[in-house]
Every structure is written in structure tokens, then in C-alpha cells.
Amino acid sequence: MCPDRPRLIVILALSSLALLPTARAAVGPTNAALGKGPIHISADSLTAQNKPQQQAVYTGKVVMTQGDIVIHAQKLTIDARQGKVEVATAVGSPVTFTMSSAQRHGYGDTLVYRPGSGEIVLTGNAHLWQGPNEVSGQQVVYHLQDQHTTVSAAPGQRVQSVFYPGTAKTAASPGGKP
């Protein structure tokens, strides 16, 4: 066993906890509860290093869950600094995610999660749904705390949206915006 292996295991465990954005008091599945709680990751394999940077790479049928957020990918890379996760990057064909309390789900070629800002960025054939309503483009940026969404098109393309009038607005998203 490598003499640094126990230290690496502790750092990886602490790094996973750092995926939690700053906690706010919340009861039930509200906007503030999105992206909170312990993170669970399962995969076919894990490769980790502590030097020159702290990085864990999960490959093969990766499933990451945190609260009601579930991400499915072929590969998940977690980059940390001083035991704190800075970014989690998932790739797949496609990467999918669901957030049941916000009635959202989506997919893209790549998903980047920045725990410090509570931001999820889908890139490459990106789609995001709230109930039956859908937005799509080259990139979809979604903020967990305020559920703000920005969609960008690829050069020469346009952003696409489909909204169904009369669909119920959700408590998790004032105004029913995707």
C-alpha cells in the first residue's frame, strides 16, 4: 500500500463533501435544498491523485447523487484544491441529470458543476425541461439557488423553446420559467 493512500482516501472523502454549496436553512425540497446533502458516487472504476493536483476520475456507468439531483455519465472528473471541490465535470453520450423537486431534467454532451456558485452548465446539444416545457441550445447554464437559466446557441444556430400554455406553475420555480 502506498504510504500516501490513507491520506488520499481522506482527502477524496472530504472533497466530496465540498461539493455542497453554502447551506441555507430549508425545510422540504425548496430552491435552497437543491444541491445539498452528502454526495454519493458509484462507477466501474476510480483513479485518484493528490499531487500535483487533487483529482478523482470515475469511469464507467457513473452515477452521482446529491439530495434529489441525479447525474448519469460515462466519466466524472472531480478537481479539488486543499480538500475543497472546485469543479465536477461529467461527460457522456449524453450526460443526463434529474432534479425531481424542481421538476427539471436535461442532457448534454458535457455537464460541469461548480459547487461554489451552485451552477450547472450543459454543453453540446444541451436540453433542459421543466415539466413538459423545454429549452435547448449549444449551452444551457442553470443556477440551483435561484433557478435562473441562460441558453446560448452555436454560431449560425438559434436557441429553441417549447412552452405549453396552461401547464401548472411549480412552487419550486416562481413564474414557471425553465
Side-chain angles (χ1 to χ4, degrees), residues 1-171:
M1 176 185 281
C2 174
D4 286 335
R5 188 165 184 209
R7 181 173 181 239
L8 178 60
I9 291 170
V10 169
I11 288 172
L12 287 174
L14 293 173
S15 297
S16 293
L17 293 175
L19 280 173
L20 304 173
T22 303
R24 289 186 281 175
V27 177
T30 64
N31 294 357
L34 292 173
K36 305 291 186 229
I39 294 176
H40 303 272
I41 301 171
S42 65
D44 291 340
S45 66
L46 166 63
T47 303
Q49 65 181 21
N50 195 31
K51 293 181 181 179
Q53 64 191 36
Q54 296 171 340
Q55 185 177 74
V57 179
Y58 297 86
T59 56
K61 301 177 199 154
V62 180
V63 179
M64 179 180 127
T65 60
Q66 182 182 30
D68 74 340
I69 297 173
V70 180
I71 298 171
H72 292 266
Q74 289 302 313
K75 180 179 177 182
L76 174 69
T77 303
I78 296 179
D79 291 300
R81 176 173 292 178
Q82 298 177 350
K84 182 177 180 185
V85 174
E86 293 183 338
V87 65
T89 305
V91 295
S93 53
V95 175
T96 63
F97 78 98
T98 58
M99 294 178 288
S100 59
S101 67
Q103 297 181 357
R104 289 207 175 28
H105 67 278
Y107 67 82
D109 297 332
T110 303
L111 181 148
V112 175
Y113 175 48
R114 293 182 179 89
S117 63
E119 178 181 80
I120 293 176
V121 179
L122 290 165
T123 305
N125 193 29
H127 293 257
L128 177 66
W129 285 266
Q130 178 188 14
N133 302 314
E134 175 189 9
V135 293
S136 63
Q138 175 62 23
Q139 184 177 72
V140 175
V141 180
Y142 178 70
H143 298 270
L144 292 175
Q145 279 67 35
D146 63 9
Q147 297 190 15
H148 175 82
T149 305
T150 305
V151 183
S152 304
Q157 301 293 315
R158 296 173 58 86
V159 169
Q160 301 295 316
S161 298
V162 178
F163 299 104
Y164 293 89
T167 56
K169 296 177 183 177
T170 66

